[in-house]
Amino acid sequence: MDKLIVNGGRRLDGKIRVHGAKNSVLPILAATILCEDECVIRDCPDLSDVKSAFEIIECLGGSVGYDAEERTAYIDTRNICRFEIPDRLMREMRSSVMFLGAIIARMRRADISYPGGCELGARPIDLHLKAFRQMGVKITELYGHIKCCADDIKPQRINLLLPSVGATENIMLLSATANGTTVISNAAREPEIADLQRFLNALGADVSGAGTEEIVIRGVKKLRAAQHRIIPDRIAAATYMCAAAACGGDILLENVCAEHIRIVISMLEDAGCKITVNGDTLRITRGEHLFSIDRVKTLPYPGFPTDAQAPFMAAMCMAAGTTMFIETIFENRFKHVGELLRMGADIKIDGRVAVVHGNGGLLGAPVTAADLRGGAALTAAALAARGQSEIYGISYIDRGYESIESAFSRLGGDVIRVSE
Ligand code: EPZ
């Protein structure tokens, strides 16, 4: 098992390029199953979750080539002939559930094990299954397995109870080649949905409305090969910005879409950072002081992203004043708090509310990541803390950040990965 050793208390200075978005490439890899051809995906990030998605495509009969130098994936789905995802892969990456719509659309059948909960809580998929049943998919849930079959897909108007990102994406994938028009209302509006729409339309689909709360999918008979460049990872960008805010310094991020993190930018400016955007580069500097933000409430896009809550909390531990965090999306997304307390943070939790009294006085300590974004937050906190930290559980971090130790080393942080 690897761990990170961080010697903190240094400013961050330097430049890095932000990798392609994990939460965009995963549904787009699922979408390649809809066409019987070879697609080329550029800026495909080198992440363990992406490798799991490659394995799923290969389990189904497809083949995958990946040029890690170029960050380019070559996905050949001509020989897809299976419809099951093995339990091991479902467990490895619960977001494999977003392959369900594409597999049913292609094979008219699917057999996956229940994705189950994860570190963030129960992670139900009732909205996915309700929409699929409305669209004519017969689903039996037995002994932890979800078996689906559909003679044909019946386009519908689907009203989502919640603007679920995964459910929105799964319905888009199931309906792209259906015979008729499907409308999703109360759809999620995250930028990754718009990236999926762009890719589906490049394949020859007819999808519109992504980014708004109503998405219209006019089914087409056949899809063809496409090439696509994945959008920048807005959460990775937000994470590096929060680390610079926590440590102080002056960093330059390349390959950033500022529009996607508008609210994070404005809150870091309110906290005293200076942020300048020039095309797809973003510079953030933090001088002497960092100020707390009264309230940070996570909301569906374009509200404050739940995935940036933990990294932002790490920064607020270094700010003068008190910040209240309200986590409205997931029921168990404060697991990093216990570890921050070990570093001397002053945080009180009550249900979905966490109150941080910034005291700028974090001290290095051995800490353990319990989820992806919490692990990134602990890395940012360790960089800001005085003294040495050891960070365990970094396989969580590798799911969503390309070599976090290299990224922060290039920004002047003293971070090394050692094998236990
Ligand atoms: C996506 O997860 C992201 N993952 C998450 O990023 C992100 O935190 C989340 O959207 C919210 O933005 C990927 O895109 C791979 P949801 P997803 O369905 O689709 C409830 C990261 O760190 N819900 O929008 O699973 C659910 O419990 C990850 O990169 C139901 O009740 O999120 C949650 O409370 C973590 N029933 C809320 O909706 C359902 O059928 C939002 O979940 C589905 C969801």
Side-chain angles (χ1 to χ4, degrees):
M1 298 286 272
D2 294 354
K3 68 179 178 182
L4 297 179
I5 295 180
V6 183
N7 290 301
R10 303 159 55 144
R11 288 167 49 86
L12 294 184
D13 291 284
K15 175 171 80 170
I16 56 170
R17 186 180 187 281
V18 176
H19 58 68
K22 167 181 83 81
N23 292 347
S24 178
V25 73
L26 293 178
I28 283 174
L29 288 171
T32 62
I33 292 171
L34 296 173
C35 79
E36 298 177 43
D37 215 324
E38 184 173 10
C39 293
V40 180
I41 310 295
R42 303 191 190 291
D43 237 345
C44 179
D46 190 0
L47 304 170
S48 56
D49 267 8
V50 170
K51 292 197 173 68
S52 300
F54 289 167
E55 268 194 77
I56 289 172
I57 292 170
E58 289 170 339
C59 275
L60 298 172
S63 58
V64 177
Y66 184 58
D67 179 337
E69 268 309 294
E70 294 297 319
R71 297 293 195 279
T72 301
Y74 302 89
I75 315 287
D76 185 342
T77 55
R78 279 170 293 199
N79 300 323
I80 294 260
C81 56
R82 286 185 287 276
F83 53 84
E84 305 95 340
I85 299 180
D87 190 55
R88 171 182 65 81
L89 283 175
M90 284 305 296
R91 294 233 170 247
E92 217 162 86
M93 183 180 72
R94 69 161 312 282
S95 43
S96 316
V97 71
M98 73 175 67
F99 277 81
L100 195 56
I103 297 172
I104 298 169
R106 173 82 181 257
M107 304 299 291
R108 291 291 185 270
R109 298 180 67 184
D111 182 349
I112 67 170
S113 60
Y114 222 84
C118 74
E119 317 74 41
L120 307 181
R123 303 299 290 276
I125 58 168
D126 55 313
L127 301 181
H128 302 236
L129 302 184
K130 178 169 182 272
F132 283 14
R133 285 187 168 108
Q134 274 178 270
M135 295 176 72
V137 180
K138 293 178 194 61
I139 299 174
T140 49
E141 299 169 66
L142 270 180
Y143 314 118
H145 264 252
I146 301 170
K147 294 183 187 292
C148 307
C149 66
D151 301 332
D152 60 6
I153 312 297
K154 299 187 182 66
Q156 294 284 334
R157 168 177 280 278
I158 304 289
N159 298 306
L160 282 177
L161 182 70
L162 287 165
S164 156
V165 172
T168 301
E169 291 163 345
N170 240 335
I171 298 162
M172 289 166 75
L173 295 174
L174 180 66
S175 50
T177 54
N179 181 15
T181 298
T182 296
V183 178
I184 308 171
S185 49
N186 197 22
R189 297 166 52 191
E190 275 68 4
E192 292 77 24
I193 307 267
D195 207 24
L196 176 60
Q197 172 177 287
R198 271 190 293 277
F199 179 63
L200 284 172
N201 289 342
L203 291 172
D206 180 352
V207 184
S208 56
T212 73
E213 58 191 25
E214 180 160 292
I215 297 177
V216 180
I217 305 105
R218 293 177 182 80
V220 297
K221 275 206 180 344
K222 198 151 172 52
L223 298 176
R224 59 179 184 270
Q227 305 209 10
H228 183 78
R229 180 174 295 280
I230 300 294
I231 57 172
D233 194 310
R234 60 193 170 99
I235 305 302
T239 303
Y240 304 133
M241 293 163 69
C242 290
C247 298
D250 179 353
I251 68 169
L252 189 75
L253 300 180
E254 294 173 326
N255 195 37
V256 173
C257 180
E259 189 46 43
H260 294 166
I261 43 173
R262 187 61 57 211
I263 194 157
V264 175
I265 290 172
S266 84
M267 291 174 86
L268 285 170
E269 286 174 332
D270 292 348
C273 296
K274 189 170 175 317
I275 296 172
T276 47
V277 175
N278 182 2
D280 70 349
T281 60
L282 179 146
R283 182 177 176 189
I284 176 169
T285 56
R286 192 216 96 187
E288 195 54 34
H289 297 294
L290 189 65
F291 305 103
S292 60
I293 300 291
D294 288 347
R295 196 169 64 150
V296 178
K297 183 172 186 178
T298 64
L299 289 168
Y301 193 87
F304 190 91
T306 174
D307 295 345
Q309 177 254 106
F312 199 85
M313 186 182 289
M316 291 297 101
C317 289
M318 301 300 291
T322 298
T323 302
M324 180 196 288
F325 286 83
I326 306 161
E327 173 54 61
T328 70
I329 308 293
F330 290 110
E331 69 265 25
N332 189 17
R333 201 165 201 175
F334 286 143
K335 285 191 164 170
H336 45 285
V337 170
E339 300 304 298
L340 289 170
L341 294 179
R342 292 165 60 89
M343 301 174 85
D346 177 353
I347 307 172
K348 302 276 184 307
I349 298 179
D350 184 352
R352 291 194 178 210
V353 176
V355 179
V356 177
H357 298 288
N359 54 20
L362 293 182
L363 295 173
V367 291
T368 301
D371 63 70
L372 163 56
R373 307 301 176 186
L378 293 176
T379 310
L383 286 162
R386 287 193 306 280
Q388 187 174 90
S389 297
E390 293 178 328
I391 304 175
Y392 298 88
I394 59 177
S395 57
Y396 284 112
I397 304 176
D398 293 338
R399 292 182 47 195
Y401 296 86
E402 284 187 355
S403 181
I404 199 165
E405 71 277 9
S406 314
F408 280 127
S409 301
R410 280 203 295 280
L411 293 175
D414 179 351
V415 196
I416 56 168
R417 178 187 292 247
V418 296
S419 296
E420 271 281 75

